[in-house]
């Protein structure tokens, strides 16, 4: 992108929060800003394609086709780029830089996810005013249709929260602005506008969906109303029943910010983009993302981590010796299971999202026994994974930490955890869908091969 959040860091550390002040509401302010940015970005992409379009990333190997396409350059994703060693950058900003630069709630220390969304969509650090207006806009859009409430109320509590989440998001397609506009014959150049409206609606409605699932499944009573004067995370926390705990609200601000986007190739992001490329509206596209996030090798790992930790604590105690933890981890590996929360398809160092959560814990819950166990595991498991010799990355990922933080504040229902990951992931997938429509991204259709066709293709040819 021509828009460069790093320049915000370099040029205006002192002036952040005053660059794009506007008196208009954020709904129109963000949309207006997008309308200004899109023509420039179309030109920017055109120029990049003219200059680099025929350049090659290098050879594609047959192993990459069999190997889950690891490292295969295949997608454009504007919101974030992942470096194997350094971790994620959102529009050029690292997590600590986001923590420093993005507007916060009054008295708060963590970035507001509203600000992260603005950054993902525009590449710019928003003003406090723009962020407040975005909070109000989302609060105004937060209500979910009564038939969606009924769908959730009729789900058996034994249906996994992620399945309920996906059902509800799919059903929101009933009121999709994009689907309606497409039926009326909207011009391709205008696709981004209803996509933007749907994405804003989607994000705004997630606290009501998540809150309803949580309360229905775990018998926590009725969902309270959204407060238009509160930020997104404060409302989400209230709807879940933790709004009175300011530390939990701060955790949600951090949690939603850091889980939002992890470039385009991970399962949830790529699924959303792929389904969106068929011009399925943002609700249908994001429901597909959620179904991918619900897999244990992806977002469900945060549930699996806490399950693993709890079983470990039951078996050897929270004050276990290093030797006992070591043995437990080896037993897990020897039984053919993965150690959840460790390893990554791209990262080769400790995930900065893990580090951000560890720092939060050091500040807010340094004496928590499960947190200490997580720290102990961090000192032990990487060496075991290295010794076992299979995992390319022995370090912890984002999911290794989140569960103990939620548990500390009383959210102990681990099979709900991935729903929170899903709420956050809508920010990244939504921003990408808007830009895909703005830039006229085509239908995705890579080429596949059968083993037989590969054998024929390379018959008689040496490497
Ligand atoms: N425990 C045990 N074995 C592991 C491992 C772990 N944490 N991480 C990788 N391995 C194994 C793989 O299963 C694979 O074994 P096989 O060759 O027998 O299939 C081998 O090491 C090589 O895998 P890799 O190239 O290092 O990793 P992949 O890119 O294939 O997979 C991931 C990445 C995340 C699926 C894997 O590390 C894993 O299963 N981790 C545990 C689950 C987890 O924490 N997932 C969450 C990731 C973050 C997220 O998306 O939310």
């Amino acid at each position: 992108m021509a828009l460069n959040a790093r320049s915000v860091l370099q040029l205006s550390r002192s002036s952040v929060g005053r660059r794009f002040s506007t008196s208009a509401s954020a709904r129109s302010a963000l949309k207006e800003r997008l309308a200004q940015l899109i023509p420039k970005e179309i030109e920017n992409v055109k120029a990049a394609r003219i200059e680099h379009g025929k350049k090659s990333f290098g050879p594609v190997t047959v192993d990459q086709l069999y190997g889950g396409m690891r490292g295969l350059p295949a997608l454009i994703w504007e919101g974030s780029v992942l470096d194997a060693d350094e971790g994620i950058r959102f529009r050029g900003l690292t997590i600590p830089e986001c923590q420093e630069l993005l507007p916060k709630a009054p008295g708060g220390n963590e970035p507001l996810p509203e600000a992260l969304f603005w950054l993902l969509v525009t590449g710019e650090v928003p003003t406090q005013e723009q962020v407040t207006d975005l909070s109000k806009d989302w609060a105004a859009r937060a209500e979910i249709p009564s038939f969606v409430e009924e769908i959730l109320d009729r789900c058996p509590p034994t249906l996994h929260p992620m399945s309920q989440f996906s059902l509800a998001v799919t059903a929101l397609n009933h009121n999709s602005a994009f689907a309606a506009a497409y039926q009326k014959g909207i011009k391709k150049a205008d696709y981004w506008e209803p996509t933007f409206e749907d994405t804003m609606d989607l994000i705004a409605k997630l606290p009501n969906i998540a809150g309803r699932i949580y309360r229905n499944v775990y018998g926590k009573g009725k969902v309270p109303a959204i407060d238009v004067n509160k930020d997104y995370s404060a409302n989400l926390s209230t709807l879940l029943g933790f709004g009175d705990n300011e530390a939990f609200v701060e955790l949600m601000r951090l949690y939603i910010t850091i889980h939002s986007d992890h470039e385009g190739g991970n399962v949830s992001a790529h699924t959303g983009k792929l389904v969106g490329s068929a011009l399925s509206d943002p609700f249908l596209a994001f429901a597909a993302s959620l179904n991918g996030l619900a897999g244990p090798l992806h977002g469900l790992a945060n549930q699996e981590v806490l399950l693993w930790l709890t079983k470990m604590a039951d078996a050897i105690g929270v004050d276990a010796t290093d030797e006992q933890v070591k043995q437990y981890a080896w037993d897990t590996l020897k039984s053919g299971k993965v150690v959840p929360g460790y390893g990554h398809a791209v990262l080769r160092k400790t995930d900065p999202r893990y580090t951000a959560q560890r720092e939060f814990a050091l500040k807010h819950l340094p004496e928590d026994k499960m947190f200490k166990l997580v720290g102990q595991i961090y000192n032990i498991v990487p060496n075991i994974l290295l010794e076992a010799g299979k995992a390319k990355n022995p370090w912890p990922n984002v999911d290794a930490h989140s569960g103990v933080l939620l548990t500390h504040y009383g959210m102990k229902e681990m099979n709900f955890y991935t729903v929170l990951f899903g709420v956050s992931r809508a920010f990244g997938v939504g921003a990408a869908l808007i830009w895909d429509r703005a830039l006229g991204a085509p239908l995705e259709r890579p080429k596949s091969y059968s083993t037989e066709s590969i054998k024929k293709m390379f018959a008689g040819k040496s490497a």
Side-chain angles (χ1 to χ4, degrees):
M1 297 282 303
L3 319 165
N4 189 353
R6 285 223 52 86
S7 62
V8 174
L9 186 66
Q10 286 151 4
L11 298 173
S12 61
R13 282 212 163 178
S14 58
S15 65
V16 162
R18 294 194 296 276
R19 291 177 69 236
F20 303 103
S21 77
T22 169
S23 55
S25 79
R27 179 177 181 179
S28 52
L30 184 52
K31 207 168 167 180
E32 275 170 23
R33 187 69 192 127
L34 255 172
Q36 291 166 349
L37 295 171
I38 286 168
K40 290 183 205 156
E41 190 51 24
I42 289 172
E43 289 310 311
N44 185 40
V45 169
K46 256 191 210 156
R49 291 190 69 173
I50 288 168
E51 195 178 348
H52 305 296
K54 300 286 175 272
K55 291 177 185 160
S56 164
F57 279 91
V60 174
T61 64
V62 172
D63 270 347
Q64 282 179 300
L65 274 70
Y66 282 102
M69 298 182 276
R70 291 293 178 286
L72 190 76
L75 302 167
I76 295 293
W77 191 269
E78 306 288 5
S80 62
V81 176
L82 182 60
D83 178 84
D85 294 326
E86 182 195 51
I88 196 68
R89 279 181 184 263
F90 304 113
R91 294 286 191 168
L93 299 183
T94 63
I95 288 173
E97 286 167 355
C98 285
Q99 286 174 303
E100 181 192 340
L101 293 173
L102 296 183
K104 300 165 183 60
N109 285 309
E110 300 300 341
L112 288 164
E114 287 86 334
L116 197 272
F117 184 67
W118 189 290
L119 176 70
L120 288 176
V121 171
T122 65
E124 299 164 348
V125 173
T127 64
Q128 196 81 42
E129 184 193 2
Q130 286 167 332
V131 165
T132 305
D133 286 349
L134 204 44
S135 303
K136 285 191 193 305
D137 187 1
W138 284 346
R141 294 171 186 254
E143 206 178 314
I144 54 175
S146 54
F147 84 94
V148 178
E149 291 180 349
E150 276 171 43
I151 288 175
L152 290 175
D153 293 349
R154 282 170 186 238
C155 286
T158 45
L159 181 62
H160 194 281
M162 282 303 283
S163 311
Q164 299 196 28
F165 195 7
S166 165
L167 273 176
V169 169
T170 299
L172 290 178
N173 135 279
H174 183 264
N175 296 342
S176 164
F178 181 85
Y182 191 81
Q183 285 310 315
K184 280 192 191 146
I186 187 175
K187 287 204 304 283
K188 191 173 178 183
D190 297 332
Y191 282 176
W192 72 270
E193 282 199 51
T195 303
F196 175 84
E197 295 298 336
D198 280 353
T199 300
M200 293 285 280
D201 280 347
L202 168 71
I203 292 173
K205 291 177 194 314
L206 298 181
N208 259 317
I209 293 175
R212 200 165 196 96
I213 294 169
Y214 185 66
R215 287 171 181 271
N216 280 354
V217 171
Y218 308 108
K220 306 271 185 187
K222 285 187 128 182
V223 188
I226 289 271
D227 182 342
V228 289
N229 294 312
K230 283 190 175 164
D231 65 83
Y232 188 80
S233 311
N235 270 318
L236 173 65
S237 304
T238 302
L239 268 52
L240 294 168
F242 298 88
D244 293 339
N245 188 335
E246 192 47 37
F248 183 90
V249 176
E250 277 282 275
L251 174 61
M252 282 299 100
R253 291 173 184 140
L254 175 67
Y255 186 104
I256 293 173
T257 297
I258 64 176
H259 285 77
S260 60
D261 207 30
H262 216 226
E263 72 169 33
N266 67 78
V267 170
S268 54
H270 185 198
T271 315
K273 183 178 171 69
L274 169 67
V275 174
S277 84
L279 298 186
S280 306
D281 63 62
F283 305 107
L284 297 179
F286 186 62
S289 294
L290 288 175
N291 289 341
L293 196 69
L297 295 187
H298 189 20
L300 202 78
N302 60 10
Q303 161 188 317
E304 298 298 289
V305 166
L306 210 75
L307 199 61
W308 188 71
L309 283 176
T310 312
K311 281 189 182 162
M312 180 191 287
D314 286 348
I316 59 178
V318 271
D319 297 312
T321 63
D322 286 359
E323 209 42 54
Q324 286 173 305
V325 172
K326 216 170 164 180
Q327 193 53 50
Y328 194 87
W330 271 118
D331 289 348
T332 302
L333 290 180
K334 284 178 184 158
S335 69
K337 293 183 191 142
V338 296
V339 176
Y342 279 76
H344 199 272
V346 178
L347 284 168
R348 292 296 174 258
K349 294 271 169 66
T350 297
D351 190 337
R353 300 173 298 174
Y354 174 93
T355 309
Q357 293 179 87
R358 177 170 167 76
E359 280 164 10
F360 185 95
L362 283 169
K363 188 169 162 194
H364 293 275
L365 44 129
E367 296 309 321
D368 183 283
K369 293 226 167 191
M370 288 292 264
F371 166 55
K372 287 188 171 170
L373 183 59
V374 166
Q376 190 180 11
I377 290 165
Y378 181 52
N379 291 327
I380 293 170
V381 161
N383 284 333
I384 293 178
L385 286 174
L386 282 174
E387 205 180 321
K390 281 211 299 185
K392 293 189 188 69
N393 171 29
W395 302 107
N397 60 57
V398 66
D399 299 313
H401 216 306
S402 50
V404 289
L405 300 177
L406 297 168
T407 303
H408 176 82
Y409 293 112
M411 182 179 272
K412 299 195 167 134
E413 299 83 2
M414 50 194 96
N415 63 352
F416 184 75
Y417 292 170
T418 313
V419 172
L420 293 178
F421 195 157
V423 170
S424 170
R425 195 38 63 97
F427 287 55
V429 172
L433 288 170
I434 294 168
W435 274 107
D436 274 357
R437 296 293 77 78
L439 297 173
L443 179 80
E444 271 193 40
R445 181 49 171 100
K447 179 82 187 92
S448 65
Y449 295 86
S450 67
T451 299
E452 217 32 56
S453 63
I454 285 175
K455 281 178 160 176
K456 268 192 204 148
M457 194 182 307
F458 295 111
K461 291 182 190 160
S462 58

